[in-house]
Amino acid sequence: MMDLLNPATTDQIFDALYAPSNSLEQMSNQALSNGIDLYMKEQYEDAAKEFKRSIGLSANSDFSVSATNYLAQTYLKLGDSDEAVKAYEMGIQNNSYDADLRMSLGNLHFSEGRYVEAQESYEAAVRLDDSAGSRFALGQVFLKTNRLREAELQFQKVRRLTPESTNGDYGLGLTYAKMEQPEKAIKHFEAALKLKKDFYDAHFEIGTLYADMGDMEKATEINDFLED
């Protein structure tokens, strides 16, 4: 008769219970690896099949998240953005607490000009992981849709969350430029440049603002610097 209190027996039972799951994860990982190899060879249709198999074998694992991202990118390579969206949506159903998948879906919507859907995805990402990256992305949506006070709020939060990053000041600069407050915008672009001297986008925005303000001497000086 099996001694259930024996530690060795307990270990055997534990191994028996978890072996099938581990095996499925190993198979999922192998399918993911196969899919990546095919993706790198630009054999996208075959790669998609492997990524789907990886997801099906272990839908709630880290392998599934990676396979979902690859599957979506594969569909984009095939020119099918609708299937890419479906891939992300399926991945989110399987891994509802993964903020990165929601960010990726939001980025896809944003690139396609679907700003309402992008906002929904970014806001869901913020609820799961209130990070500077998700706040910055949300601020970009508000900029695109001219909700400038909301954009300002998001970029201020980015600045507080990551004061060592240029993103907060750069976002605020873009926002104040659209608000037609050039002096305030230049102040934030210059703050970004203090953090990163070779931040050429910030130099360009400052030059554009000086040109709009009629200060062609400063605008030309920045243009010459950028050309050099």
Side-chain angles (χ1 to χ4, degrees):
M1 183 177 178
M2 182 180 292
D3 183 1
L4 295 178
L5 298 179
N6 186 313
T9 303
T10 304
D11 289 343
Q12 291 173 2
I13 295 172
F14 184 86
D15 291 342
L17 286 171
Y18 283 90
S21 176
N22 290 338
S23 178
L24 286 176
E25 287 196 5
Q26 289 170 3
M27 292 169 65
S28 175
N29 186 30
Q30 184 59 56
L32 172 61
S33 179
N34 293 341
I36 292 172
D37 288 340
L38 292 165
Y39 182 91
M40 297 303 291
K41 294 175 183 176
E42 299 184 3
Q43 298 177 23
Y44 298 125
E45 291 184 359
D46 290 334
K49 292 176 184 177
E50 289 298 312
F51 294 138
K52 286 180 179 179
R53 191 163 73 90
S54 176
I55 295 166
L57 286 165
S58 187
N60 306 114
S61 69
D62 290 339
F63 302 129
S64 171
V65 173
S66 296
T68 296
N69 278 311
Y70 270 109
L71 180 59
Q73 292 304 312
T74 301
Y75 281 129
L76 290 176
K77 290 289 186 181
L78 291 168
D80 195 337
S81 61
D82 289 340
E83 285 299 319
V85 168
K86 290 178 184 177
Y88 280 129
E89 289 174 343
M90 178 180 65
I92 289 168
Q93 286 181 354
N94 293 332
N95 302 274
S96 58
Y97 294 103
D98 193 287
D100 289 340
L101 284 176
R102 295 178 187 275
M103 283 294 294
S104 295
L105 177 57
N107 292 340
L108 177 53
H109 284 313
F110 188 92
S111 70
E112 298 279 327
R114 296 189 290 262
Y115 300 124
V116 173
E117 293 88 343
Q119 179 186 335
E120 291 173 354
S121 294
Y122 291 146
E123 286 177 337
V126 167
R127 287 193 293 270
L128 291 169
D129 178 22
D130 192 356
S131 67
S134 54
R135 290 285 182 183
F136 183 79
L138 189 54
Q140 290 290 344
V141 170
F142 291 140
L143 265 183
K144 282 289 187 181
T145 54
N146 290 313
R147 295 160 65 180
L148 301 181
R149 289 299 180 189
E150 290 170 276
E152 178 186 23
L153 177 62
Q154 296 305 318
F155 294 132
Q156 285 173 342
K157 289 181 179 179
V158 171
R159 197 165 183 257
R160 287 197 295 271
L161 286 167
T162 52
E164 75 286 354
S165 169
T166 61
N167 285 345
D169 281 304
Y170 183 65
L172 286 169
L174 293 174
T175 303
Y176 293 130
K178 290 195 78 170
M179 287 180 173
E180 299 183 354
Q181 299 179 36
E183 293 87 357
K184 204 169 182 179
I186 290 170
K187 175 184 174 182
H188 282 284
F189 288 134
E190 288 177 340
L193 287 170
K194 287 180 181 178
L195 295 169
K196 186 180 179 183
K197 292 181 180 179
D198 61 349
F199 190 4
Y200 299 117
D201 285 346
H203 283 292
F204 174 79
E205 295 294 343
I206 292 172
T208 301
L209 286 167
Y210 278 130
D212 291 343
M213 295 164 67
D215 192 337
M216 299 312 297
E217 182 178 350
K218 288 184 177 179
T220 301
E221 181 182 336
I222 292 173
N223 183 66
D224 291 343
F225 165 76
L226 290 174
E227 286 184 351
D228 290 340

PDB file of all heavy atoms in Angstrom, residues 202-222:
ATOM      1  N   ALA A 202      13.811  67.327 -30.675  1.00  0.00           N
ATOM      2  CA  ALA A 202      13.552  68.505 -29.844  1.00  0.00           C
ATOM      3  C   ALA A 202      14.171  69.745 -30.482  1.00  0.00           C
ATOM      4  O   ALA A 202      13.561  70.830 -30.502  1.00  0.00           O
ATOM      5  CB  ALA A 202      14.104  68.285 -28.438  1.00  0.00           C
ATOM      6  N   HIS A 203      15.394  69.621 -31.017  1.00  0.00           N
ATOM      7  CA  HIS A 203      16.006  70.749 -31.739  1.00  0.00           C
ATOM      8  C   HIS A 203      15.114  71.199 -32.894  1.00  0.00           C
ATOM      9  O   HIS A 203      14.893  72.402 -33.089  1.00  0.00           O
ATOM     10  CB  HIS A 203      17.367  70.323 -32.298  1.00  0.00           C
ATOM     11  CG  HIS A 203      18.468  70.277 -31.285  1.00  0.00           C
ATOM     12  ND1 HIS A 203      18.974  71.420 -30.688  1.00  0.00           N
ATOM     13  CD2 HIS A 203      19.176  69.224 -30.784  1.00  0.00           C
ATOM     14  CE1 HIS A 203      19.944  71.073 -29.845  1.00  0.00           C
ATOM     15  NE2 HIS A 203      20.083  69.753 -29.887  1.00  0.00           N
ATOM     16  N   PHE A 204      14.613  70.227 -33.656  1.00  0.00           N
ATOM     17  CA  PHE A 204      13.760  70.551 -34.807  1.00  0.00           C
ATOM     18  C   PHE A 204      12.503  71.300 -34.374  1.00  0.00           C
ATOM     19  O   PHE A 204      12.112  72.294 -35.006  1.00  0.00           O
ATOM     20  CB  PHE A 204      13.379  69.270 -35.550  1.00  0.00           C
ATOM     21  CG  PHE A 204      12.397  69.482 -36.659  1.00  0.00           C
ATOM     22  CD1 PHE A 204      12.805  69.968 -37.888  1.00  0.00           C
ATOM     23  CD2 PHE A 204      11.044  69.212 -36.468  1.00  0.00           C
ATOM     24  CE1 PHE A 204      11.888  70.179 -38.920  1.00  0.00           C
ATOM     25  CE2 PHE A 204      10.122  69.421 -37.491  1.00  0.00           C
ATOM     26  CZ  PHE A 204      10.553  69.903 -38.714  1.00  0.00           C
ATOM     27  N   GLU A 205      11.860  70.814 -33.296  1.00  0.00           N
ATOM     28  CA  GLU A 205      10.631  71.461 -32.827  1.00  0.00           C
ATOM     29  C   GLU A 205      10.899  72.893 -32.380  1.00  0.00           C
ATOM     30  O   GLU A 205      10.098  73.802 -32.643  1.00  0.00           O
ATOM     31  CB  GLU A 205      10.010  70.650 -31.684  1.00  0.00           C
ATOM     32  CG  GLU A 205       9.523  69.260 -32.071  1.00  0.00           C
ATOM     33  CD  GLU A 205       8.350  69.268 -33.042  1.00  0.00           C
ATOM     34  OE1 GLU A 205       7.694  70.325 -33.185  1.00  0.00           O
ATOM     35  OE2 GLU A 205       8.095  68.215 -33.657  1.00  0.00           O
ATOM     36  N   ILE A 206      12.037  73.113 -31.723  1.00  0.00           N
ATOM     37  CA  ILE A 206      12.381  74.469 -31.286  1.00  0.00           C
ATOM     38  C   ILE A 206      12.594  75.366 -32.498  1.00  0.00           C
ATOM     39  O   ILE A 206      12.108  76.505 -32.546  1.00  0.00           O
ATOM     40  CB  ILE A 206      13.650  74.445 -30.403  1.00  0.00           C
ATOM     41  CG1 ILE A 206      13.348  73.752 -29.065  1.00  0.00           C
ATOM     42  CG2 ILE A 206      14.146  75.873 -30.142  1.00  0.00           C
ATOM     43  CD1 ILE A 206      14.579  73.511 -28.208  1.00  0.00           C
ATOM     44  N   GLY A 207      13.309  74.852 -33.492  1.00  0.00           N
ATOM     45  CA  GLY A 207      13.531  75.638 -34.710  1.00  0.00           C
ATOM     46  C   GLY A 207      12.227  75.995 -35.401  1.00  0.00           C
ATOM     47  O   GLY A 207      12.056  77.130 -35.882  1.00  0.00           O
ATOM     48  N   THR A 208      11.310  75.034 -35.455  1.00  0.00           N
ATOM     49  CA  THR A 208      10.004  75.289 -36.072  1.00  0.00           C
ATOM     50  C   THR A 208       9.243  76.376 -35.325  1.00  0.00           C
ATOM     51  O   THR A 208       8.618  77.260 -35.938  1.00  0.00           O
ATOM     52  CB  THR A 208       9.173  73.992 -36.103  1.00  0.00           C
ATOM     53  OG1 THR A 208       9.873  72.990 -36.851  1.00  0.00           O
ATOM     54  CG2 THR A 208       7.819  74.224 -36.733  1.00  0.00           C
ATOM     55  N   LEU A 209       9.304  76.327 -33.992  1.00  0.00           N
ATOM     56  CA  LEU A 209       8.596  77.326 -33.187  1.00  0.00           C
ATOM     57  C   LEU A 209       9.196  78.713 -33.372  1.00  0.00           C
ATOM     58  O   LEU A 209       8.464  79.708 -33.487  1.00  0.00           O
ATOM     59  CB  LEU A 209       8.637  76.921 -31.706  1.00  0.00           C
ATOM     60  CG  LEU A 209       7.714  75.753 -31.330  1.00  0.00           C
ATOM     61  CD1 LEU A 209       8.061  75.221 -29.950  1.00  0.00           C
ATOM     62  CD2 LEU A 209       6.254  76.189 -31.373  1.00  0.00           C
ATOM     63  N   TYR A 210      10.535  78.801 -33.437  1.00  0.00           N
ATOM     64  CA  TYR A 210      11.154  80.112 -33.668  1.00  0.00           C
ATOM     65  C   TYR A 210      10.751  80.664 -35.035  1.00  0.00           C
ATOM     66  O   TYR A 210      10.501  81.868 -35.189  1.00  0.00           O
ATOM     67  CB  TYR A 210      12.676  80.009 -33.565  1.00  0.00           C
ATOM     68  CG  TYR A 210      13.191  80.056 -32.148  1.00  0.00           C
ATOM     69  CD1 TYR A 210      14.093  79.116 -31.672  1.00  0.00           C
ATOM     70  CD2 TYR A 210      12.776  81.076 -31.281  1.00  0.00           C
ATOM     71  CE1 TYR A 210      14.573  79.161 -30.370  1.00  0.00           C
ATOM     72  CE2 TYR A 210      13.253  81.137 -29.972  1.00  0.00           C
ATOM     73  CZ  TYR A 210      14.149  80.178 -29.519  1.00  0.00           C
ATOM     74  OH  TYR A 210      14.617  80.227 -28.218  1.00  0.00           O
ATOM     75  N   ALA A 211      10.671  79.793 -36.034  1.00  0.00           N
ATOM     76  CA  ALA A 211      10.234  80.229 -37.364  1.00  0.00           C
ATOM     77  C   ALA A 211       8.805  80.741 -37.317  1.00  0.00           C
ATOM     78  O   ALA A 211       8.476  81.781 -37.915  1.00  0.00           O
ATOM     79  CB  ALA A 211      10.371  79.085 -38.357  1.00  0.00           C
ATOM     80  N   ASP A 212       7.926  80.026 -36.603  1.00  0.00           N
ATOM     81  CA  ASP A 212       6.533  80.452 -36.474  1.00  0.00           C
ATOM     82  C   ASP A 212       6.423  81.791 -35.746  1.00  0.00           C
ATOM     83  O   ASP A 212       5.504  82.585 -36.028  1.00  0.00           O
ATOM     84  CB  ASP A 212       5.729  79.388 -35.728  1.00  0.00           C
ATOM     85  CG  ASP A 212       5.544  78.112 -36.543  1.00  0.00           C
ATOM     86  OD1 ASP A 212       5.739  78.161 -37.770  1.00  0.00           O
ATOM     87  OD2 ASP A 212       5.211  77.073 -35.940  1.00  0.00           O
ATOM     88  N   MET A 213       7.368  82.022 -34.814  1.00  0.00           N
ATOM     89  CA  MET A 213       7.358  83.270 -34.043  1.00  0.00           C
ATOM     90  C   MET A 213       8.014  84.421 -34.810  1.00  0.00           C
ATOM     91  O   MET A 213       8.010  85.560 -34.337  1.00  0.00           O
ATOM     92  CB  MET A 213       8.075  83.049 -32.708  1.00  0.00           C
ATOM     93  CG  MET A 213       7.367  82.064 -31.780  1.00  0.00           C
ATOM     94  SD  MET A 213       8.445  81.480 -30.429  1.00  0.00           S
ATOM     95  CE  MET A 213       8.663  82.987 -29.481  1.00  0.00           C
ATOM     96  N   GLY A 214       8.581  84.121 -35.972  1.00  0.00           N
ATOM     97  CA  GLY A 214       9.211  85.164 -36.785  1.00  0.00           C
ATOM     98  C   GLY A 214      10.655  85.428 -36.440  1.00  0.00           C
ATOM     99  O   GLY A 214      11.266  86.357 -36.986  1.00  0.00           O
ATOM    100  N   ASP A 215      11.239  84.612 -35.554  1.00  0.00           N
ATOM    101  CA  ASP A 215      12.653  84.776 -35.196  1.00  0.00           C
ATOM    102  C   ASP A 215      13.480  83.898 -36.131  1.00  0.00           C
ATOM    103  O   ASP A 215      13.927  82.808 -35.776  1.00  0.00           O
ATOM    104  CB  ASP A 215      12.870  84.378 -33.737  1.00  0.00           C
ATOM    105  CG  ASP A 215      14.244  84.794 -33.217  1.00  0.00           C
ATOM    106  OD1 ASP A 215      15.153  84.969 -34.055  1.00  0.00           O
ATOM    107  OD2 ASP A 215      14.403  84.910 -31.985  1.00  0.00           O
ATOM    108  N   MET A 216      13.715  84.409 -37.344  1.00  0.00           N
ATOM    109  CA  MET A 216      14.375  83.603 -38.367  1.00  0.00           C
ATOM    110  C   MET A 216      15.859  83.413 -38.079  1.00  0.00           C
ATOM    111  O   MET A 216      16.459  82.432 -38.530  1.00  0.00           O
ATOM    112  CB  MET A 216      14.188  84.257 -39.736  1.00  0.00           C
ATOM    113  CG  MET A 216      12.721  84.383 -40.157  1.00  0.00           C
ATOM    114  SD  MET A 216      11.775  82.822 -39.943  1.00  0.00           S
ATOM    115  CE  MET A 216      12.637  81.734 -41.066  1.00  0.00           C
ATOM    116  N   GLU A 217      16.446  84.301 -37.316  1.00  0.00           N
ATOM    117  CA  GLU A 217      17.862  84.139 -36.983  1.00  0.00           C
ATOM    118  C   GLU A 217      18.089  82.875 -36.153  1.00  0.00           C
ATOM    119  O   GLU A 217      18.957  82.052 -36.462  1.00  0.00           O
ATOM    120  CB  GLU A 217      18.368  85.365 -36.230  1.00  0.00           C
ATOM    121  CG  GLU A 217      19.862  85.289 -35.891  1.00  0.00           C
ATOM    122  CD  GLU A 217      20.357  86.539 -35.178  1.00  0.00           C
ATOM    123  OE1 GLU A 217      19.603  87.532 -35.123  1.00  0.00           O
ATOM    124  OE2 GLU A 217      21.489  86.507 -34.675  1.00  0.00           O
ATOM    125  N   LYS A 218      17.284  82.705 -35.118  1.00  0.00           N
ATOM    126  CA  LYS A 218      17.410  81.523 -34.283  1.00  0.00           C
ATOM    127  C   LYS A 218      16.972  80.263 -35.032  1.00  0.00           C
ATOM    128  O   LYS A 218      17.572  79.195 -34.874  1.00  0.00           O
ATOM    129  CB  LYS A 218      16.604  81.682 -32.994  1.00  0.00           C
ATOM    130  CG  LYS A 218      17.208  82.667 -32.016  1.00  0.00           C
ATOM    131  CD  LYS A 218      16.410  82.716 -30.721  1.00  0.00           C
ATOM    132  CE  LYS A 218      17.060  83.660 -29.721  1.00  0.00           C
ATOM    133  NZ  LYS A 218      16.273  83.747 -28.454  1.00  0.00           N
ATOM    134  N   ALA A 219      15.935  80.401 -35.832  1.00  0.00           N
ATOM    135  CA  ALA A 219      15.448  79.251 -36.607  1.00  0.00           C
ATOM    136  C   ALA A 219      16.525  78.786 -37.577  1.00  0.00           C
ATOM    137  O   ALA A 219      16.774  77.578 -37.722  1.00  0.00           O
ATOM    138  CB  ALA A 219      14.176  79.630 -37.359  1.00  0.00           C
ATOM    139  N   THR A 220      17.190  79.729 -38.245  1.00  0.00           N
ATOM    140  CA  THR A 220      18.248  79.386 -39.188  1.00  0.00           C
ATOM    141  C   THR A 220      19.441  78.764 -38.468  1.00  0.00           C
ATOM    142  O   THR A 220      20.046  77.806 -38.977  1.00  0.00           O
ATOM    143  CB  THR A 220      18.697  80.637 -39.961  1.00  0.00           C
ATOM    144  OG1 THR A 220      17.567  81.185 -40.654  1.00  0.00           O
ATOM    145  CG2 THR A 220      19.794  80.294 -40.965  1.00  0.00           C
ATOM    146  N   GLU A 221      19.751  79.279 -37.321  1.00  0.00           N
ATOM    147  CA  GLU A 221      20.871  78.749 -36.523  1.00  0.00           C
ATOM    148  C   GLU A 221      20.623  77.270 -36.176  1.00  0.00           C
ATOM    149  O   GLU A 221      21.528  76.437 -36.296  1.00  0.00           O
ATOM    150  CB  GLU A 221      21.022  79.576 -35.249  1.00  0.00           C
ATOM    151  CG  GLU A 221      22.158  79.134 -34.347  1.00  0.00           C
ATOM    152  CD  GLU A 221      22.239  79.963 -33.074  1.00  0.00           C
ATOM    153  OE1 GLU A 221      21.741  81.120 -33.087  1.00  0.00           O
ATOM    154  OE2 GLU A 221      22.776  79.464 -32.073  1.00  0.00           O
ATOM    155  N   ILE A 222      19.406  76.951 -35.774  1.00  0.00           N
ATOM    156  CA  ILE A 222      19.071  75.554 -35.436  1.00  0.00           C
ATOM    157  C   ILE A 222      19.061  74.703 -36.691  1.00  0.00           C
ATOM    158  O   ILE A 222      19.548  73.565 -36.686  1.00  0.00           O
ATOM    159  CB  ILE A 222      17.713  75.500 -34.693  1.00  0.00           C
ATOM    160  CG1 ILE A 222      17.849  76.149 -33.321  1.00  0.00           C
ATOM    161  CG2 ILE A 222      17.241  74.045 -34.567  1.00  0.00           C
ATOM    162  CD1 ILE A 222      16.543  76.306 -32.576  1.00  0.00           C
TER     163      ILE A 222
END
